[in-house]
Amino acid sequence: MTPTDQATLSVRSTADLLAAVPFLLGFHPADSVVVIALRANRIVFVARGDLPDFLTAPPPSAGGAGEAAARGPGETAARGPGETAARGPGETAGGPGEAAAQLAAVVARQGVETVTIVGYGPPARVTPVIDAVTGALGRFGLPVLDALRVTGDRYWSYVCADPGCCPPEGTRFDASASQFAAAATFAGQVALPDRETLVRQVSPVDGPAREAMRQATRRAESRLQKLLDRAAPADPRGRRALRRAGRSAVRIAMLRHRTGGRLTDDELAWLSLLLVHLPTRDEAWQRTGGEDWQLALWTDVLRRSEPDLVAAPATLLCFAAWRAGQGALASVAVERALEAQPDYSLALLLAETLRAGIPPSTLDGWDAPDRSRQEVLRAR
């Protein structure tokens, strides 16, 4: 489903809200803080950070891409918007205060009116983060409707002091048994067991499939060398030949997936080699939105490409997921890109886009030939 056709579902209680969070993120959070932001009583943005990012200061090499995405005004759905982490690639966290300020800034730039905070984990870890995030949001003038801690199958409110509705032993709930969860599942929404399950969905193929792709890539390399050897004298470096081949490979791939098909090993290996050529990568980027078949295409290319060729397809999957409002998928995809090539400029741009919480609607209706997508995103 895309952001324009996701089902609108109602949240009528705290239990409903907690049942909604896994569908909003796409997976069940753990050891996390989640900020749910509203405008006109509609959820328009969801941000998530890992508790360790707030409570520790890991070395720069541990830094991961932030995760964030947002819906357009007035949209509420049971999946996405996504998530946000407190830091970007290579950044360190300076304790709850600094991390909370970064998270609050991302939420505030969405133009929301109120927020609810949910912390997942034991009180010793959750409470200082809830306090820090509440204070940081207050400095942006954002009222906190409620702040909750979820530990096991119970939740506690940091705002409500009435033991009649918020008992000191916590309130038991079963998110899987809620009417919201049933309605979201019926509407086709998915909440994976955890973030690692999402990571595995974009992990490299192995076994016979990997060996088949190694052989296909070797054949593609020979094919590419022949293409360059046959380049016309007027095209000494074969740039025009590469551009033509890349445009053709991208169009074939998109037509195949748009019509429900899948690339052969040789076709995919050929495309993965050509995507190293930036004009081919940009051709694919300009044709990529957030449709389901595009997510399937770039996921397949990412998983089957050889390890040294994954930066481009991983970045294209990140962009497609961001456009679809699937911030968590966008984040794991850009992590794959930067693991493969830490200085890949488009991946760095999209990682910053996610970390800053720039909404996918930024590119809605974009048709200015004098401005590239890079320029539009950097301007934000």
Side-chain angles (χ1 to χ4, degrees):
M1 301 179 80
T2 65
T4 57
D5 64 12
Q6 288 176 332
T8 299
L9 302 172
S10 298
V11 175
R12 297 185 175 89
S13 66
T14 300
D16 276 351
L17 182 66
L18 295 177
V21 168
F23 293 96
L24 290 165
L25 294 175
F27 61 89
H28 289 265
D31 214 21
S32 302
V33 59
V34 176
V35 177
I36 304 161
L38 300 93
R39 188 187 309 123
N41 294 321
R42 292 178 178 270
I43 299 172
V44 295
F45 186 81
V46 176
R48 187 202 69 90
D50 290 323
L51 290 184
D53 287 344
F54 287 80
L55 299 171
T56 63
S61 62
E67 304 170 14
R71 291 199 181 287
E75 293 180 340
T76 304
R79 183 174 179 186
E83 47 179 329
T84 183
R87 54 193 169 82
E91 297 181 350
T92 59
E98 180 182 337
Q102 294 175 12
L103 179 60
V106 170
V107 175
R109 72 179 295 162
Q110 310 306 318
V112 299
E113 297 169 353
T114 57
V115 299
T116 292
I117 312 169
V118 186
Y120 293 82
R125 293 172 63 79
V126 170
T127 299
V129 174
I130 292 288
D131 290 344
V133 174
T134 299
L137 290 167
R139 288 189 286 276
F140 282 97
L142 286 174
V144 176
L145 294 179
D146 204 352
L148 304 167
R149 171 171 59 87
V150 176
T151 306
D153 61 353
R154 292 178 181 269
Y155 69 84
W156 289 258
S157 173
Y158 290 90
V159 173
C160 176
D162 181 358
C165 63
C166 300
E169 69 273 16
T171 302
R172 189 182 298 273
F173 77 103
D174 182 356
S176 64
S178 73
Q179 291 184 350
F180 183 95
T185 302
F186 181 77
Q189 308 302 323
V190 175
L192 299 174
D194 50 40
R195 192 177 186 273
E196 287 307 307
T197 302
L198 183 63
V199 172
R200 288 194 294 271
Q201 288 187 349
V202 298
S203 63
V205 298
D206 55 15
R210 171 53 56 210
E211 180 57 31
M213 284 307 305
R214 289 194 188 100
Q215 296 178 15
T217 302
R218 286 196 288 269
R219 291 192 293 270
E221 289 169 344
S222 298
R223 179 182 176 185
L224 180 61
Q225 188 58 55
K226 291 176 182 177
L227 175 72
L228 297 177
D229 290 343
R230 292 197 301 266
D235 184 22
R237 295 186 180 179
R239 291 177 178 174
R240 281 180 286 180
L242 278 173
R243 186 183 292 270
R244 286 193 299 269
R247 186 181 299 117
S248 174
V250 168
R251 289 177 176 174
I252 289 171
M254 291 197 160
L255 177 61
R256 186 74 52 77
H257 273 262
R258 190 167 57 243
T259 55
R262 185 171 183 257
L263 295 175
T264 66
D265 289 346
D266 284 315
E267 289 171 331
L268 192 143
W270 180 237
L271 175 63
S272 70
L273 278 181
L274 293 172
L275 285 171
V276 175
H277 185 53
L278 291 184
T280 299
R281 194 276 317 274
D282 288 346
E283 172 82 15
W285 188 28
Q286 295 300 327
R287 293 173 173 270
T288 296
E291 297 179 62
D292 282 350
W293 65 266
Q294 293 174 327
L295 292 170
L297 165 62
W298 297 122
T299 297
D300 191 39
V301 178
L302 169 58
R303 298 196 67 211
R304 294 163 64 195
S305 292
E306 287 294 274
D308 58 339
L309 300 174
V310 303
T315 303
L316 291 167
L317 175 59
C318 169
F319 181 78
W322 175 68
R323 289 291 286 159
Q326 297 188 33
L329 176 58
S331 176
V332 299
V334 83
E335 287 172 5
R336 286 286 313 277
L338 292 173
E339 286 168 4
Q341 193 169 332
D343 61 348
Y344 198 66
S345 60
L346 182 55
L348 290 170
L349 173 62
L350 291 177
E352 177 59 25
T353 296
L354 297 174
R355 191 179 71 87
I358 296 174
S361 57
T362 298
L363 292 180
D364 285 354
W366 176 84
D367 59 359
D370 58 331
R371 297 187 72 195
S372 69
R373 283 177 165 179
Q374 290 100 321
E375 291 172 323
V376 173
L377 294 177
R378 288 194 179 101
R380 296 284 299 195

